[in-house]
Amino acid sequence: MTDPSLAPEIALASDLFDALRAASLDAPGVTRASYGPGERAAHALAAEAARRAGLLVEWDAVGTLRATLPGRDRGLPAVAIGSHLDSVPHGGNFDGAAGVVMGLAAAAHRARRGMRGARDLVVLGIRAEEMCWFPAHYLGSRAAFGLLPREAPETLRRADSGRTLAEHMAEEGFDPGIIRQGRATLDPTGLRCFLEPHIEQGPALLAEGLPVAVVTGIRGSLRYPRAAVHGENAHAGAVPRAHRRDAALAAVALIAALDARWAAWEAAGRDLVCTAGILATDPAHHAPTKIPGTLRFSLDIRSEDAELLAEIDAWLHEEAARLEAARGVRFDFGPPTHAAPAVMDEGLRAALRESAARAGVAVREMASGAGHDCATFAGLGIPSAMLFLRNANGSHNPDEAMAMEDFAAGLAVLSGALDGLMA
Ligand SMILES: [Zn+2]
């Protein structure tokens, strides 16, 4: 136990995690569809816990839960803590929920001890972050800030139901008209900062024996989801090497060259991860005895460094041109998607590091490879930061495993940082 005074809030959090799991159980795992029943149940439980802690509870017109511990001057920009309450189908109990529960625990702690700050402390339960339901990044946070395209309520359909965002929002009692009018329910100038605690979705903290990390930034991405190489189908035995136009070998050569460059960039201290998640010859034409004439592949390249992403994009096209000349193939990368990296606020990062040092919690700093709502806040110029909590088995699966001791360590770090931020 890091700080004995946090014990009642650790118990509150533990009970709330249990209740969340029970209310959205969908074996194996939990299912909390965006603007669906599991998310609704999670919001109701979080709101109930907030009311019991003495916080003011409301939902805005797009369904963002706001649980507020009022400050002495309610006109001052508020400190916000939060994350999302939806999950992937058959997901884990902690991705998203851990951030909301930690925000509630921190606010409950201050309420119980009569620690009213100068400004409001607001815990946000954000809607619809998991992209598997509606095909849009950070749907709920962008809806709250009025950043979605006005046609989104009609054009976005939920993957499981096929019904529109407008229908699902209305069914949950919220107003898609706000999005159609381009109106915001959250005002960036009303927020002093945003803090998002979240489970780590990779193995770094577990491997290093650390409970908590302070996030340096959220990686941006360059993606080619529908790339292809075109060569020529031909007989595997009859065509000599010089006459082959082998699409598979050309794609593999490109990916191997990218891997070698990645190792060099990483050795030079630059933040980068690269993945070719799809790599497939055409099942209508492929055979063990055929030189593959077409290969479809995807590239997902992420970095905290926007310049590096641009540099890699240029390098990819140069390397592809070289391979086209050498191998008689044609690369067609298809349309790219870009997401800008989000930089976490250095002042907040320092506050979290210093709080960790005071609490005796060992931390490291690391980039976030996955996207988070925090990127929406940072993109609007709101000083933003994230805490990662040690978690085994990755995320988006039923085996997410965050220990309550690590949650307690994270809560101690967050609570300590709040003392300064609330002034
Ligand atoms: Zn998440």
Side-chain angles (χ1 to χ4, degrees), residues 255-288:
I255 292 161
L258 175 62
D259 184 44
R261 286 298 304 145
W262 175 12
W265 274 309
E266 191 176 73
R270 302 183 79 177
D271 177 63
L272 186 62
V273 285
C274 304
T275 306
I278 296 173
L279 198 63
T281 49
D282 181 354
H285 291 285
H286 69 189

mmCIF file of all heavy atoms in Angstrom, residues 255-288:
data_model
loop_
_atom_site.group_PDB
_atom_site.id
_atom_site.type_symbol
_atom_site.label_atom_id
_atom_site.label_comp_id
_atom_site.label_asym_id
_atom_site.label_seq_id
_atom_site.Cartn_x
_atom_site.Cartn_y
_atom_site.Cartn_z
ATOM 1 N N ILE A 255 9.417 -5.158 -47.450
ATOM 2 C CA ILE A 255 9.174 -5.243 -46.001
ATOM 3 C C ILE A 255 10.480 -5.548 -45.254
ATOM 4 O O ILE A 255 10.747 -4.981 -44.190
ATOM 5 C CB ILE A 255 8.064 -6.281 -45.711
ATOM 6 C CG1 ILE A 255 6.734 -5.747 -46.255
ATOM 7 C CG2 ILE A 255 7.949 -6.579 -44.221
ATOM 8 C CD1 ILE A 255 5.675 -6.795 -46.449
ATOM 9 N N ALA A 256 11.316 -6.409 -45.831
ATOM 10 C CA ALA A 256 12.614 -6.704 -45.196
ATOM 11 C C ALA A 256 13.500 -5.453 -45.185
ATOM 12 O O ALA A 256 14.209 -5.187 -44.202
ATOM 13 C CB ALA A 256 13.311 -7.851 -45.933
ATOM 14 N N ALA A 257 13.445 -4.670 -46.255
ATOM 15 C CA ALA A 257 14.234 -3.428 -46.298
ATOM 16 C C ALA A 257 13.715 -2.444 -45.251
ATOM 17 O O ALA A 257 14.489 -1.763 -44.574
ATOM 18 C CB ALA A 257 14.162 -2.817 -47.699
ATOM 19 N N LEU A 258 12.386 -2.381 -45.098
ATOM 20 C CA LEU A 258 11.799 -1.514 -44.074
ATOM 21 C C LEU A 258 12.256 -1.962 -42.686
ATOM 22 O O LEU A 258 12.614 -1.133 -41.836
ATOM 23 C CB LEU A 258 10.262 -1.549 -44.176
ATOM 24 C CG LEU A 258 9.493 -0.792 -43.092
ATOM 25 C CD1 LEU A 258 9.818 0.699 -43.124
ATOM 26 C CD2 LEU A 258 7.974 -0.990 -43.266
ATOM 27 N N ASP A 259 12.274 -3.266 -42.469
ATOM 28 C CA ASP A 259 12.707 -3.807 -41.166
ATOM 29 C C ASP A 259 14.152 -3.421 -40.872
ATOM 30 O O ASP A 259 14.487 -3.030 -39.747
ATOM 31 C CB ASP A 259 12.534 -5.335 -41.187
ATOM 32 C CG ASP A 259 12.866 -5.953 -39.838
ATOM 33 O OD1 ASP A 259 12.424 -5.396 -38.810
ATOM 34 O OD2 ASP A 259 13.577 -6.966 -39.810
ATOM 35 N N ALA A 260 15.006 -3.490 -41.892
ATOM 36 C CA ALA A 260 16.424 -3.121 -41.701
ATOM 37 C C ALA A 260 16.560 -1.625 -41.401
ATOM 38 O O ALA A 260 17.325 -1.221 -40.526
ATOM 39 C CB ALA A 260 17.230 -3.501 -42.952
ATOM 40 N N ARG A 261 15.782 -0.797 -42.119
ATOM 41 C CA ARG A 261 15.811 0.647 -41.861
ATOM 42 C C ARG A 261 15.283 0.935 -40.448
ATOM 43 O O ARG A 261 15.792 1.799 -39.744
ATOM 44 C CB ARG A 261 14.950 1.406 -42.883
ATOM 45 C CG ARG A 261 15.553 1.516 -44.270
ATOM 46 C CD ARG A 261 16.862 2.289 -44.290
ATOM 47 N NE ARG A 261 16.729 3.620 -43.734
ATOM 48 C CZ ARG A 261 17.666 4.267 -43.031
ATOM 49 N NH1 ARG A 261 18.823 3.698 -42.805
ATOM 50 N NH2 ARG A 261 17.453 5.469 -42.574
ATOM 51 N N TRP A 262 14.224 0.227 -40.062
ATOM 52 C CA TRP A 262 13.633 0.388 -38.734
ATOM 53 C C TRP A 262 14.709 0.154 -37.661
ATOM 54 O O TRP A 262 14.875 0.952 -36.738
ATOM 55 C CB TRP A 262 12.443 -0.575 -38.581
ATOM 56 C CG TRP A 262 11.809 -0.614 -37.225
ATOM 57 C CD1 TRP A 262 11.994 0.253 -36.177
ATOM 58 C CD2 TRP A 262 10.863 -1.596 -36.773
ATOM 59 N NE1 TRP A 262 11.208 -0.127 -35.103
ATOM 60 C CE2 TRP A 262 10.519 -1.252 -35.440
ATOM 61 C CE3 TRP A 262 10.279 -2.728 -37.373
ATOM 62 C CZ2 TRP A 262 9.609 -2.017 -34.696
ATOM 63 C CZ3 TRP A 262 9.371 -3.475 -36.629
ATOM 64 C CH2 TRP A 262 9.047 -3.124 -35.308
ATOM 65 N N ALA A 263 15.460 -0.939 -37.817
ATOM 66 C CA ALA A 263 16.524 -1.246 -36.841
ATOM 67 C C ALA A 263 17.525 -0.094 -36.783
ATOM 68 O O ALA A 263 17.972 0.300 -35.693
ATOM 69 C CB ALA A 263 17.220 -2.554 -37.221
ATOM 70 N N ALA A 264 17.843 0.480 -37.935
ATOM 71 C CA ALA A 264 18.816 1.580 -37.969
ATOM 72 C C ALA A 264 18.229 2.838 -37.326
ATOM 73 O O ALA A 264 18.903 3.516 -36.532
ATOM 74 C CB ALA A 264 19.224 1.857 -39.418
ATOM 75 N N TRP A 265 16.973 3.160 -37.657
ATOM 76 C CA TRP A 265 16.331 4.338 -37.057
ATOM 77 C C TRP A 265 16.239 4.170 -35.539
ATOM 78 O O TRP A 265 16.503 5.099 -34.779
ATOM 79 C CB TRP A 265 14.933 4.558 -37.658
ATOM 80 C CG TRP A 265 14.897 5.355 -38.935
ATOM 81 C CD1 TRP A 265 15.488 6.564 -39.145
ATOM 82 C CD2 TRP A 265 14.231 5.012 -40.163
ATOM 83 N NE1 TRP A 265 15.213 6.998 -40.436
ATOM 84 C CE2 TRP A 265 14.444 6.079 -41.073
ATOM 85 C CE3 TRP A 265 13.457 3.921 -40.585
ATOM 86 C CZ2 TRP A 265 13.920 6.077 -42.367
ATOM 87 C CZ3 TRP A 265 12.940 3.927 -41.862
ATOM 88 C CH2 TRP A 265 13.183 4.994 -42.755
ATOM 89 N N GLU A 266 15.864 2.958 -35.108
ATOM 90 C CA GLU A 266 15.724 2.704 -33.668
ATOM 91 C C GLU A 266 17.079 2.836 -32.970
ATOM 92 O O GLU A 266 17.173 3.421 -31.888
ATOM 93 C CB GLU A 266 15.134 1.310 -33.433
ATOM 94 C CG GLU A 266 14.716 1.085 -31.999
ATOM 95 C CD GLU A 266 14.043 -0.266 -31.827
ATOM 96 O OE1 GLU A 266 14.741 -1.297 -31.872
ATOM 97 O OE2 GLU A 266 12.820 -0.286 -31.653
ATOM 98 N N ALA A 267 18.127 2.292 -33.619
ATOM 99 C CA ALA A 267 19.472 2.389 -33.036
ATOM 100 C C ALA A 267 19.900 3.848 -32.912
ATOM 101 O O ALA A 267 20.688 4.204 -32.034
ATOM 102 C CB ALA A 267 20.473 1.611 -33.903
ATOM 103 N N ALA A 268 19.359 4.696 -33.784
ATOM 104 C CA ALA A 268 19.673 6.131 -33.728
ATOM 105 C C ALA A 268 18.784 6.857 -32.712
ATOM 106 O O ALA A 268 18.792 8.086 -32.649
ATOM 107 C CB ALA A 268 19.524 6.747 -35.108
ATOM 108 N N GLY A 269 17.983 6.078 -31.962
ATOM 109 C CA GLY A 269 17.197 6.670 -30.886
ATOM 110 C C GLY A 269 15.867 7.258 -31.329
ATOM 111 O O GLY A 269 15.263 8.041 -30.602
ATOM 112 N N ARG A 270 15.386 6.869 -32.505
ATOM 113 C CA ARG A 270 14.120 7.441 -32.968
ATOM 114 C C ARG A 270 12.986 6.466 -32.681
ATOM 115 O O ARG A 270 13.141 5.253 -32.806
ATOM 116 C CB ARG A 270 14.220 7.778 -34.454
ATOM 117 C CG ARG A 270 15.363 8.761 -34.688
ATOM 118 C CD ARG A 270 15.488 9.194 -36.109
ATOM 119 N NE ARG A 270 14.513 10.227 -36.449
ATOM 120 C CZ ARG A 270 14.464 10.827 -37.656
ATOM 121 N NH1 ARG A 270 15.299 10.477 -38.598
ATOM 122 N NH2 ARG A 270 13.568 11.756 -37.908
ATOM 123 N N ASP A 271 11.820 7.032 -32.295
ATOM 124 C CA ASP A 271 10.669 6.218 -31.907
ATOM 125 C C ASP A 271 9.950 5.696 -33.151
ATOM 126 O O ASP A 271 9.536 6.484 -34.003
ATOM 127 C CB ASP A 271 9.710 7.078 -31.080
ATOM 128 C CG ASP A 271 8.455 6.312 -30.714
ATOM 129 O OD1 ASP A 271 8.582 5.310 -29.992
ATOM 130 O OD2 ASP A 271 7.353 6.691 -31.166
ATOM 131 N N LEU A 272 9.795 4.381 -33.239
ATOM 132 C CA LEU A 272 9.200 3.797 -34.453
ATOM 133 C C LEU A 272 8.697 2.383 -34.199
ATOM 134 O O LEU A 272 9.341 1.604 -33.494
ATOM 135 C CB LEU A 272 10.271 3.764 -35.558
ATOM 136 C CG LEU A 272 9.844 3.315 -36.954
ATOM 137 C CD1 LEU A 272 8.801 4.259 -37.532
ATOM 138 C CD2 LEU A 272 11.053 3.228 -37.885
ATOM 139 N N VAL A 273 7.535 2.040 -34.766
ATOM 140 C CA VAL A 273 7.109 0.641 -34.890
ATOM 141 C C VAL A 273 6.480 0.445 -36.265
ATOM 142 O O VAL A 273 5.784 1.328 -36.763
ATOM 143 C CB VAL A 273 6.098 0.198 -33.785
ATOM 144 C CG1 VAL A 273 6.791 -0.011 -32.457
ATOM 145 C CG2 VAL A 273 4.956 1.188 -33.635
ATOM 146 N N CYS A 274 6.754 -0.708 -36.881
ATOM 147 C CA CYS A 274 6.283 -0.992 -38.238
ATOM 148 C C CYS A 274 5.627 -2.371 -38.289
ATOM 149 O O CYS A 274 6.164 -3.322 -37.719
ATOM 150 C CB CYS A 274 7.454 -1.000 -39.228
ATOM 151 S SG CYS A 274 8.423 0.510 -39.223
ATOM 152 N N THR A 275 4.513 -2.471 -38.975
ATOM 153 C CA THR A 275 3.800 -3.749 -39.065
ATOM 154 C C THR A 275 3.203 -3.931 -40.454
ATOM 155 O O THR A 275 2.584 -3.007 -40.983
ATOM 156 C CB THR A 275 2.644 -3.795 -38.038
ATOM 157 O OG1 THR A 275 3.159 -3.513 -36.750
ATOM 158 C CG2 THR A 275 1.962 -5.154 -38.027
ATOM 159 N N ALA A 276 3.380 -5.129 -41.015
ATOM 160 C CA ALA A 276 2.661 -5.514 -42.231
ATOM 161 C C ALA A 276 1.671 -6.595 -41.811
ATOM 162 O O ALA A 276 1.987 -7.783 -41.823
ATOM 163 C CB ALA A 276 3.627 -6.027 -43.286
ATOM 164 N N GLY A 277 0.501 -6.171 -41.413
ATOM 165 C CA GLY A 277 -0.475 -7.104 -40.811
ATOM 166 C C GLY A 277 -1.190 -7.960 -41.827
ATOM 167 O O GLY A 277 -1.691 -9.033 -41.500
ATOM 168 N N ILE A 278 -1.255 -7.483 -43.062
ATOM 169 C CA ILE A 278 -1.899 -8.260 -44.129
ATOM 170 C C ILE A 278 -0.842 -8.508 -45.196
ATOM 171 O O ILE A 278 -0.119 -7.591 -45.588
ATOM 172 C CB ILE A 278 -3.079 -7.487 -44.747
ATOM 173 C CG1 ILE A 278 -4.176 -7.269 -43.697
ATOM 174 C CG2 ILE A 278 -3.634 -8.213 -45.972
ATOM 175 C CD1 ILE A 278 -5.300 -6.364 -44.173
ATOM 176 N N LEU A 279 -0.755 -9.746 -45.619
ATOM 177 C CA LEU A 279 0.236 -10.123 -46.634
ATOM 178 C C LEU A 279 -0.338 -11.363 -47.303
ATOM 179 O O LEU A 279 -0.315 -12.442 -46.723
ATOM 180 C CB LEU A 279 1.554 -10.446 -45.919
ATOM 181 C CG LEU A 279 2.843 -10.459 -46.713
ATOM 182 C CD1 LEU A 279 3.173 -9.098 -47.283
ATOM 183 C CD2 LEU A 279 3.985 -10.939 -45.839
ATOM 184 N N ALA A 280 -0.901 -11.213 -48.489
ATOM 185 C CA ALA A 280 -1.639 -12.352 -49.047
ATOM 186 C C ALA A 280 -1.606 -12.383 -50.567
ATOM 187 O O ALA A 280 -1.867 -11.371 -51.220
ATOM 188 C CB ALA A 280 -3.095 -12.288 -48.591
ATOM 189 N N THR A 281 -1.299 -13.551 -51.116
ATOM 190 C CA THR A 281 -1.468 -13.763 -52.552
ATOM 191 C C THR A 281 -2.961 -13.939 -52.827
ATOM 192 O O THR A 281 -3.750 -14.140 -51.905
ATOM 193 C CB THR A 281 -0.686 -14.995 -53.015
ATOM 194 O OG1 THR A 281 -0.981 -16.079 -52.133
ATOM 195 C CG2 THR A 281 0.812 -14.732 -53.001
ATOM 196 N N ASP A 282 -3.346 -13.856 -54.075
ATOM 197 C CA ASP A 282 -4.758 -13.878 -54.463
ATOM 198 C C ASP A 282 -5.268 -15.321 -54.483
ATOM 199 O O ASP A 282 -4.841 -16.117 -55.325
ATOM 200 C CB ASP A 282 -4.868 -13.245 -55.861
ATOM 201 C CG ASP A 282 -6.300 -13.197 -56.358
ATOM 202 O OD1 ASP A 282 -7.196 -13.762 -55.677
ATOM 203 O OD2 ASP A 282 -6.523 -12.607 -57.422
ATOM 204 N N PRO A 283 -6.197 -15.667 -53.586
ATOM 205 C CA PRO A 283 -6.649 -17.066 -53.521
ATOM 206 C C PRO A 283 -7.326 -17.530 -54.815
ATOM 207 O O PRO A 283 -7.394 -18.738 -55.078
ATOM 208 C CB PRO A 283 -7.633 -17.088 -52.347
ATOM 209 C CG PRO A 283 -7.771 -15.700 -51.867
ATOM 210 C CD PRO A 283 -6.845 -14.798 -52.625
ATOM 211 N N ALA A 284 -7.801 -16.596 -55.632
ATOM 212 C CA ALA A 284 -8.436 -17.003 -56.898
ATOM 213 C C ALA A 284 -7.399 -17.480 -57.901
ATOM 214 O O ALA A 284 -7.723 -18.181 -58.848
ATOM 215 C CB ALA A 284 -9.231 -15.836 -57.481
ATOM 216 N N HIS A 285 -6.166 -17.078 -57.691
ATOM 217 C CA HIS A 285 -5.120 -17.406 -58.671
ATOM 218 C C HIS A 285 -3.935 -18.176 -58.106
ATOM 219 O O HIS A 285 -3.191 -18.773 -58.864
ATOM 220 C CB HIS A 285 -4.585 -16.105 -59.313
ATOM 221 C CG HIS A 285 -5.589 -15.424 -60.201
ATOM 222 N ND1 HIS A 285 -5.908 -15.882 -61.454
ATOM 223 C CD2 HIS A 285 -6.367 -14.339 -59.988
ATOM 224 C CE1 HIS A 285 -6.840 -15.103 -61.990
ATOM 225 N NE2 HIS A 285 -7.138 -14.158 -61.109
ATOM 226 N N HIS A 286 -3.757 -18.121 -56.768
ATOM 227 C CA HIS A 286 -2.496 -18.678 -56.267
ATOM 228 C C HIS A 286 -2.523 -20.208 -56.227
ATOM 229 O O HIS A 286 -3.583 -20.838 -56.188
ATOM 230 C CB HIS A 286 -2.126 -18.078 -54.897
ATOM 231 C CG HIS A 286 -2.999 -18.475 -53.752
ATOM 232 N ND1 HIS A 286 -2.900 -17.872 -52.516
ATOM 233 C CD2 HIS A 286 -3.985 -19.406 -53.625
ATOM 234 C CE1 HIS A 286 -3.775 -18.428 -51.694
ATOM 235 N NE2 HIS A 286 -4.435 -19.358 -52.343
ATOM 236 N N ALA A 287 -1.332 -20.780 -56.280
ATOM 237 C CA ALA A 287 -1.172 -22.236 -56.226
ATOM 238 C C ALA A 287 0.278 -22.506 -55.862
ATOM 239 O O ALA A 287 1.149 -21.676 -56.137
ATOM 240 C CB ALA A 287 -1.500 -22.849 -57.589
ATOM 241 N N PRO A 288 0.532 -23.679 -55.264
ATOM 242 C CA PRO A 288 1.923 -23.983 -54.898
ATOM 243 C C PRO A 288 2.862 -24.010 -56.097
ATOM 244 O O PRO A 288 4.064 -23.813 -55.944
ATOM 245 C CB PRO A 288 1.818 -25.389 -54.271
ATOM 246 C CG PRO A 288 0.402 -25.541 -53.874
ATOM 247 C CD PRO A 288 -0.413 -24.709 -54.821
#
